[in-house]
Amino acid sequence: MERTFLAIKPDGVQRKLVGEIIRRFETKGFTLVGLKFMNVSRELAESHYGVHRERPFFGSLVEFITSGPVVAMVWEGDGVIAGARKVIGATNPLTAEPGTIRGDFGANIGRNLIHGSDAPETAQSEIALWFKDEELVNWSPTI
Ligand code: CMP
């Protein structure tokens, strides 16, 4: 079964949107298999955003993701990588469709509430970066 990595960023936590955001993935039908509330080290932030290292906003990305606690999660389901990104909406909340998380709650590309893996390879590497195997729960809903 496909898995993806999602992280509610410090703005989502500070704005008390954790429950609302998790609810959207649960009601969509995806299955939560990993969850932790944590502060992000500079080392983890720089690895996670390594692909953006040459971008002018790299420094502010790292500063922001390390500025307060985040909710790191792994979700499972058929097509969950692309499906979760649909629930999340476009990177820039100003152009994200209403009904998506970013479209409904965001107004700033640097404060876009949640990160979601963009492809199978990134999902695999991000899950391995953020979670140990034993932190993931193998289970299937029975209803
Ligand atoms: P995320 O899905 O976490 O992946 C990389 C992040 O970079 C993205 O969400 C945005 O928050 C951020 N980002 C992308 N483009 C810009 C930009 N032009 N200026 C500032 N931040 C950006």
Side-chain angles (χ1 to χ4, degrees):
M1 183 75 80
E2 191 170 284
R3 289 181 170 179
T4 196
F5 171 74
L6 306 179
I8 303 174
K9 300 184 189 184
D11 53 335
V13 173
Q14 283 164 25
R15 290 178 56 196
K16 312 273 200 249
L17 289 170
V18 169
E20 169 69 29
I21 290 172
I22 289 177
R23 185 187 65 79
R24 290 183 178 220
F25 297 105
E26 284 193 309
T27 54
K28 181 74 182 166
F30 297 132
T31 301
L32 183 65
V33 295
L35 175 75
K36 51 186 177 183
F37 186 52
M38 59 187 281
N39 286 307
V40 180
S41 68
R42 176 162 289 268
E43 186 188 7
L44 175 57
E46 289 181 352
S47 299
H48 175 74
Y49 282 131
V51 66
H52 298 299
R53 196 171 291 276
E54 304 307 323
R55 305 271 195 110
F57 54 83
F58 178 70
S60 61
L61 267 183
V62 170
E63 284 304 314
F64 181 58
I65 202 80
T66 57
S67 69
V70 307
V71 179
M73 302 178 284
V74 178
W75 287 82
E76 187 173 88
D78 282 333
V80 69
I81 299 170
R85 284 177 69 84
K86 283 214 169 249
V87 173
I88 291 169
T91 302
N92 187 347
L94 287 175
T95 56
E97 293 291 330
T100 65
I101 292 168
R102 288 170 175 163
D104 287 350
F105 301 116
N108 179 329
I109 195 167
R111 301 284 183 275
N112 62 1
L113 300 159
I114 178 165
H115 167 85
S117 304
D118 62 3
E121 308 72 48
T122 23
Q124 200 178 11
S125 63
E126 289 174 355
I127 291 168
L129 179 65
W130 287 77
F131 283 86
K132 299 182 183 128
D133 274 351
E134 61 266 28
E135 291 175 323
L136 300 176
V137 179
N138 295 307
W139 73 292
S140 297
T142 52
I143 53 167

